[in-house]
Amino acid sequence: MTRLDQKPWLTAYAEGVPHEIDPPTESLVDMIDGSVARHRQSVALEFFGASTTYAQLGEQISRAAEGLRRLGVQKGDRVALVLPNCPQHVVAFYAILRLGAIVIEHNPMYTARELRHQFEDHGAKVAIVWDKVYDIIADFPTDIRLDRMVSVNMTTAFPLLKRLALTLPIPKARKSRALLTATPESRHVYEWDRLLGGRQLSKRHPRPSVDDIAILQYTSGTTGSPKGAILTHSNLRANAAQSRAWVPGLSIGDETFYGVLPLFHAYGLTIGLTTAMSIGARLVLFPKFDIELVLAAVKSSPPTFLPAVPPIYEALARASERRGVDLSSLRFAISGAMSLPVSTVAKWEEQTGGLLVEGYGMTEASPIALGNPIGPTRRPGTVGVPFPSTEIRVVDPTDPTVDRPDGESGELLIRGPQVFKGYWRRPGDTSATLLPGGWLRTGDIVTVSEDGFVSVIDRLKEIIITGGFNVSPSEVEDTLVGHPDVEGAAVVGLPRDSGDEEVAAAIVLRDGAKFDSGALRDYCRSHLAAYKVPKRIIEVEVLPRSLIGKVLRREVRDGLIADKNK
């Protein structure tokens, strides 16, 4: 029998992993300042071959903080970031926190409508944005009034020769330049370099406390409405400390992390950025995952630690084998955001000689809560065991106050220092997700083995996970129904061999309308980020519904799977 209150999983911990972590006593600002002091001449960031030392990073953070202070940013203000991975993103992140302000991360590939919904919700007055999306935000309706926008041209962080190459009057250079940067049409654009052009912030300026809010991280709900998860400095520092403790082989000041996951995603932010900065690692940043860029970087800056998702591991293992690129420097790799196929683990470890383990988390847990041990006790096919200082329960999903008997499946609850403080301005959603005693409802149905390993067997929430990102079915359905030819829609996720899902839709057309899947997908593409657009759309006469009229997505999903397998 499994007694979760006795923490049977502790015996599975890798050697050297503590059962508990010390509660954080300092903020993320104190953390980065400590790394700057200890690793001044070491490389903190690398971007297309250009490097930034910890000393340079610390100075840039201080100058950006002073620039933001002069723009009126104060403690508790919300500042929006709409940036891909680049050094400016890292500097802006810590500069905002240095003032005691709150970072709000956004996906720069979102459409105007998606971004507007989030800006309406959080009400930030200052935004630091990629120049390619500057005009989108500048064109927001007057009910979203920003006091100031700062435009970032990320190519200014390139090495000089690469910057010059982008200016060449040849098609290849023009194409690359168009992907990386754009000149805003708006007048009087406030440039990032101007923000950094002044003096450094006074050391006497008040610093944030460990319990202050650090970020609002948006997560999709089943309703499709934006929900900002409130994460404190303590939450993020605790999760970074847990992640660091989970990999006892990490060496302070000697590791090279690859930032292929977006920093605007909780997984990339904590495991990619915060954990790397906390140990004085070199963080190699990529604006997006690109096989060519990654393999080129491997030759000059061999990675030692890679947080990623299964499709990235599959692609890298295949490409490195085909091209003879040596990945043996990668000692540790942690996979999250979707199910990790056992075959992917085997392929990766054969190719690299390192370990690949699966973790489990959610935005509301900063995000990691469970992981497979880094060692012989790991168990591929499961999401592992609770992190240090983390507890779990398995409860009746219809009444989460009732624990399931040992060995029975039920909804997973999580409690630990990484669990969020609630949703921004959404007390109802908060009370439904964060239960008395600090227990977080995950919405996942699990079983737990006698020695504490957790297996996810189903989801209560109907969120679709594709490419490591969450997609709300309701949001895509609302978009489809907005088309004049569509009367009803049901959107579901279809399983892929890679471990994630394909967004698919079943629609009912209005009388007289002609089915055109290509036109419907184009319509969705104009309203939604590309990864949310259904890969498959089929027409049906009616959608299955319950007695109270609710669309039965599970039946739709089963039907689409059967249709796909014909």
Side-chain angles (χ1 to χ4, degrees):
M1 300 292 281
T2 304
R3 291 294 306 276
L4 297 184
D5 57 336
Q6 296 178 359
K7 301 184 177 181
W9 55 81
L10 295 178
T11 58
Y13 276 19
E15 184 178 354
V17 176
H19 295 176
E20 305 285 333
I21 61 164
D22 294 330
T25 58
E26 296 182 321
S27 70
L28 289 165
V29 172
D30 298 319
M31 181 210 77
I32 192 66
D33 283 355
S35 290
V36 167
R38 289 188 295 271
H39 308 284
R40 292 188 61 79
Q41 301 310 313
S42 298
V43 174
L45 307 174
E46 184 180 311
F47 191 58
F48 287 87
S51 61
T52 303
T53 66
Y54 274 91
Q56 292 169 332
L57 176 60
E59 180 180 338
Q60 290 178 30
I61 291 169
S62 184
R63 291 186 185 279
E66 172 63 15
L68 289 171
R69 186 193 69 80
R70 287 177 174 269
L71 292 182
V73 176
Q74 302 177 32
K75 180 180 174 64
D77 287 349
R78 279 92 65 202
V79 180
L81 292 183
V82 193
L83 296 167
N85 289 6
C86 57
Q88 295 96 325
H89 193 149
V90 176
V91 172
F93 177 80
Y94 288 111
I96 294 165
L97 297 180
R98 176 63 182 86
L99 297 175
I102 301 168
V103 174
I104 309 168
E105 291 281 0
H106 298 273
N107 185 342
M109 303 310 294
Y110 269 3
T111 64
R113 187 188 73 159
E114 292 167 316
L115 287 170
R116 179 185 172 181
H117 285 173
Q118 294 184 353
F119 272 75
E120 287 174 337
D121 187 64
H122 59 64
K125 297 302 182 184
V126 175
I128 302 174
V129 307
W130 187 20
D131 53 15
K132 282 182 64 67
V133 299
Y134 187 99
D135 289 329
I136 291 176
I137 298 170
D139 289 340
F140 278 168
T142 55
D143 58 331
I144 302 177
R145 293 191 178 276
L146 288 165
D147 294 337
R148 180 67 74 176
M149 286 173 58
V150 179
S151 178
V152 174
N153 176 354
M154 68 175 172
T155 67
T156 61
F158 281 18
L160 176 60
L161 290 179
K162 287 189 179 293
R163 292 204 307 271
L164 292 174
L166 287 175
T167 65
L168 294 175
I170 58 176
K172 183 178 180 180
R174 284 195 292 267
K175 182 179 179 181
S176 297
R177 188 166 64 247
L179 289 172
L180 295 167
T181 184
T183 301
E185 295 179 2
S186 306
R187 294 182 178 181
H188 311 300
V189 174
Y190 193 94
E191 301 282 356
W192 171 259
D193 289 345
R194 182 180 171 189
L195 189 77
L196 266 64
R199 64 190 183 192
Q200 296 189 51
L201 182 73
S202 168
K203 293 182 179 180
R204 295 190 299 272
H205 190 282
R207 306 171 75 84
S209 75
V210 70
D211 294 321
D212 284 344
I213 300 173
I215 69 172
L216 299 183
Q217 193 79 45
Y218 276 85
T219 181
S220 297
T222 53
T223 63
S225 56
K227 293 191 295 185
I230 300 170
L231 298 173
T232 65
H233 287 259
S234 180
N235 290 146
L236 295 170
R237 285 223 59 181
N239 206 218
Q242 291 167 318
S243 302
R244 173 178 167 182
W246 200 245
V247 192
L250 288 177
S251 178
I252 306 299
D254 292 327
E255 302 294 343
T256 298
F257 284 44
Y258 268 23
V260 298
L261 297 175
L263 300 183
F264 59 76
H265 192 284
Y267 184 17
L269 181 69
T270 295
I271 309 301
L273 176 62
T274 310
T275 305
M277 295 296 99
S278 73
I279 64 170
R282 175 191 298 240
L283 177 60
V284 182
L285 292 166
F286 301 87
K288 64 175 183 177
F289 174 67
D290 182 291
I291 282 286
E292 301 300 329
L293 291 179
V294 172
L295 292 182
V298 166
K299 297 176 182 178
S300 57
S301 296
T304 61
F305 184 91
L306 177 65
V309 293
I312 288 179
Y313 292 118
E314 285 277 359
L316 275 177
R318 288 197 304 269
S320 64
E321 181 180 40
R322 186 170 62 251
R323 302 187 190 186
V325 177
D326 184 7
L327 295 181
S328 62
S329 62
L330 273 162
R331 308 194 318 277
F332 308 113
I334 294 182
S335 179
M338 65 187 75
S339 176
L340 176 65
V342 175
S343 59
T344 300
V345 176
K347 180 68 174 177
W348 179 262
E349 295 188 348
E350 176 188 357
Q351 190 65 23
T352 67
L355 293 173
L356 171 59
V357 300
E358 183 171 3
Y360 169 92
M362 54 194 300
T363 301
E364 293 86 345
S366 301
I368 309 297
L370 295 87
N372 257 286
I374 308 287
T377 57
R378 68 200 175 109
R379 194 167 300 168
T382 75
V383 294
V385 298
F387 263 20
S389 297
T390 303
E391 302 171 88
I392 61 172
R393 288 169 55 199
V394 179
V395 301
D396 183 340
T398 63
D399 184 356
T401 65
V402 178
D403 288 275
R404 286 290 202 196
D406 292 345
E408 288 192 11
S409 64
E411 183 181 359
L412 177 67
L413 303 188
I414 295 168
R415 182 167 67 182
Q418 71 272 51
V419 170
F420 80 143
K421 304 307 176 187
Y423 295 112
W424 181 254
R425 294 175 175 169
R426 290 182 175 271
D429 288 325
T430 297
S431 61
T433 304
L434 197 56
L435 303 180
W439 289 100
L440 171 65
R441 294 193 69 172
T442 66
D444 284 322
I445 303 300
V446 304
T447 58
V448 182
S449 67
E450 289 189 0
D451 51 358
F453 280 80
V454 177
S455 298
V456 178
I457 60 174
D458 202 358
R459 286 205 305 268
L460 289 177
K461 296 179 180 179
E462 294 173 319
I463 291 296
I464 301 165
I465 301 176
T466 182
F469 294 101
N470 289 353
V471 176
S472 163
S474 297
E475 181 184 17
V476 184
E477 289 166 357
D478 290 346
T479 299
L480 283 166
V481 173
H483 191 284
D485 290 344
V486 178
E487 183 176 275
V491 173
V492 297
L494 304 184
R496 289 171 167 159
D497 292 340
S498 59
D500 67 344
E501 296 172 301
E502 173 185 284
V503 182
I507 63 162
V508 176
L509 292 177
R510 297 188 186 279
D511 290 342
K514 183 179 179 181
F515 179 67
D516 186 337
S517 62
L520 289 171
R521 293 182 74 246
D522 287 342
Y523 176 80
C524 289
R525 202 173 286 111
S526 68
H527 291 77
L528 299 168
Y531 66 85
K532 299 180 183 179
V533 176
K535 296 294 184 291
R536 298 180 68 238
I537 301 177
I538 69 166
E539 180 188 2
V540 296
E541 292 186 3
V542 294
L543 295 171
R545 296 181 182 271
S546 68
L547 293 176
I548 60 174
K550 182 179 179 181
V551 173
L552 301 173
R553 289 196 183 109
R554 187 173 294 276
E555 289 190 17
V556 173
R557 182 175 183 269
D558 291 344
L560 284 169
I561 290 174
D563 181 73
K564 185 178 180 180
N565 291 334
K566 285 181 180 178

